[in-house]
Structures are given as C-alpha cells and as structure tokens.
Amino acid sequence: MPSHRVLDFFFTPEDAATPGGDNPLSQPTTHVSEIIEALCARFDKAILGVEEYAGEQTVLVEARRIADVCRFLKDEQGFLYLSDVGGADRFVEEDRFEVFYNLVSFEKGKRIRLKVRVDEAALTVPTVTDVYRAANWNEREVYDMLGIRFEGHPDMRRMFMPEDFEYYPQRKEFPQLGIPGSLPLPPRTPEGPLQYDPFPTAHEGPTPKSYQEPPSQITEEE
C-alpha cells in the first residue's frame, strides 16, 4: 500500500499508437535492428517487445532485468554513455508508469531507447547506477516526481521536493496549480509570513506592489 495520500484519479481510454516510418526527422543513428537482435538472442523473454513509431524503435524490457540489459549493452555492445533516464505517467489502469533509458554508442554512432513499465501496486525498479553512475540523479528525479523507487540506489532521497511532501508532481492527477497548504513557500512580501499557496496570484490576486506594503520595521530600526 502506498504511504502517501492518494488523490482522486480518473482513467481514460488509451489512444492506439499510429505506426509509420515516414518521419523526416528520424535519424539513421536510431535504427538499431542489429542491436535489438542481439538483445533478443541474449535475453529472450526479458525483451517484452519492440515498438516502432515514427521511424524510431523502442525496446520494452522486463523491469527486473533492466540492469542486466544495460550492462550487456555497455560491456558488449559499446553503449558507454547514458544520456538520460526519465519517467512518465501513462494514465492507464495497468502498468501505469514507465521509465525510459537513452543510451549512446559513440563508437557505432548509434542510440537506443529502452523502457520498463511498472504497476502502481509495485513501484520498484532495479537501479542501474552500478552500470552507469550518471543514473544517480536521474533516478532520484524520477522518484521525486513520480514515486517510483529504484532498488539498490545508493541515495534514494527526494531531489527537489521536501522529504515529507506527500505528493508526486508529475503524476497526472496532480493539479497544475499545485495544492494550497501542502508546502511552505517564501513570503509574498519581504516581511510577510510564509505562504502556502504555490500560485497565489491565481487564487488570491496579484502580489502587492512595494508602495502598497506597510513601512518596514527593519528599515525604521536602522
């Protein structure tokens, strides 16, 4: 069971992806069929599928094998550079979240994108920091924004939000204007109290101009 407060969430039908290979922006560096064949030969059932959309391929990997797949791509296929790790809320009922990994081989001049999917009831993915140290902050950011934990991560803490913040701001149910009262923020005026509305101009009106503020006690004492 999640330890955080669960907000109301309304699922909508998922639109079917439209296949197609006529994307003028698609680059040959992202065409990695031979790498995918090697992955399928080595990991078999851990490769759950290959999506091709807009001329680009994405490999869907079983979550518990993601570190093994990354290690194979780094050690045996030359993908030495982890350019990005991120997450997304797919807004569906099963396997709601996914984590993506973009890897680069400078030697081959190729890029490959991997994805793992995780269900809301078991929000855990093995860390790849043992393979790519650069994943450290990326995985922390995914945890902070979506609540997905990376098992084995050396420092699994929130990155931008306070540790006691109850919510995950990149989830689809999180309001665009934040949740008033959930987070103490700097005052709206130099000597004002902390304010608890992330977008006070939307809820309470504009911030007072400096000439509308009462005289500063600090200035008077000086």
Side-chain angles (χ1 to χ4, degrees):
M1 294 291 292
S3 58
H4 57 275
R5 177 184 169 190
V6 177
L7 301 175
D8 292 336
F9 184 77
F10 300 95
F11 292 100
T12 61
E14 181 185 19
D15 293 333
T18 303
D22 299 328
N23 178 12
L25 300 178
S26 174
Q27 298 295 322
T29 54
T30 62
H31 299 165
V32 289
S33 297
E34 70 285 1
I35 306 298
I36 293 172
E37 289 177 8
L39 280 174
C40 293
R42 175 64 68 91
F43 293 97
D44 192 21
K45 294 181 180 178
I47 306 301
L48 302 179
V50 179
E51 295 179 348
E52 183 159 355
Y53 178 74
E56 296 189 346
Q57 297 163 315
T58 300
V59 183
L60 189 60
V61 179
E62 188 179 11
R64 67 183 182 88
R65 299 298 305 277
I66 185 61
D68 297 330
V69 169
C70 286
R71 187 171 289 105
F72 169 75
L73 289 170
K74 180 182 179 184
D75 295 345
E76 301 187 34
Q77 298 294 326
F79 286 83
L80 302 180
Y81 178 54
L82 174 75
S83 67
D84 196 15
V85 178
D89 183 350
R90 302 172 59 236
F91 208 47
V92 294
E93 219 163 347
E94 295 182 1
D95 291 340
R96 174 180 167 182
F97 299 97
E98 69 183 12
V99 181
F100 64 84
Y101 307 77
N102 292 324
L103 311 179
V104 178
S105 168
F106 296 110
E107 180 183 4
K108 296 181 177 179
K110 293 292 185 181
R111 295 174 176 268
I112 189 169
R113 177 167 54 224
L114 311 175
K115 283 184 179 179
V116 301
R117 287 181 178 160
V118 287
D119 196 81
E120 191 168 7
L123 282 176
T124 303
V125 177
T127 182
V128 298
T129 52
D130 290 343
V131 185
Y132 297 106
R133 291 179 59 188
N136 189 314
W137 283 25
N138 294 110
E139 290 183 347
R140 280 183 59 187
E141 184 176 11
V142 172
Y143 165 60
D144 195 11
M145 294 292 109
L146 292 167
I148 300 170
R149 299 189 69 87
F150 291 86
E151 190 174 20
H153 190 285
D155 190 19
M156 193 78 276
R157 290 179 296 145
R158 302 197 78 142
M159 194 163 178
F160 302 109
M161 310 305 294
E163 285 294 327
D164 59 352
F165 192 61
E166 296 180 86
Y167 309 99
Y168 299 101
Q170 279 191 347
R171 292 189 177 190
K172 292 288 178 62
E173 74 271 26
F174 192 82
Q176 290 187 21
L177 292 182
I179 300 175
S182 64
L183 189 66
L185 296 167
R188 302 180 69 189
T189 58
E191 295 180 48
L194 291 176
Q195 55 98 8
Y196 290 84
D197 187 340
F199 290 92
T201 55
H203 297 123
E204 302 172 9
T207 301
K209 303 292 185 183
S210 58
Y211 58 80
Q212 296 173 320
E213 298 172 9
S216 170
Q217 294 181 358
I218 297 176
T219 303
E220 289 179 350
E221 290 173 359
E222 289 176 349

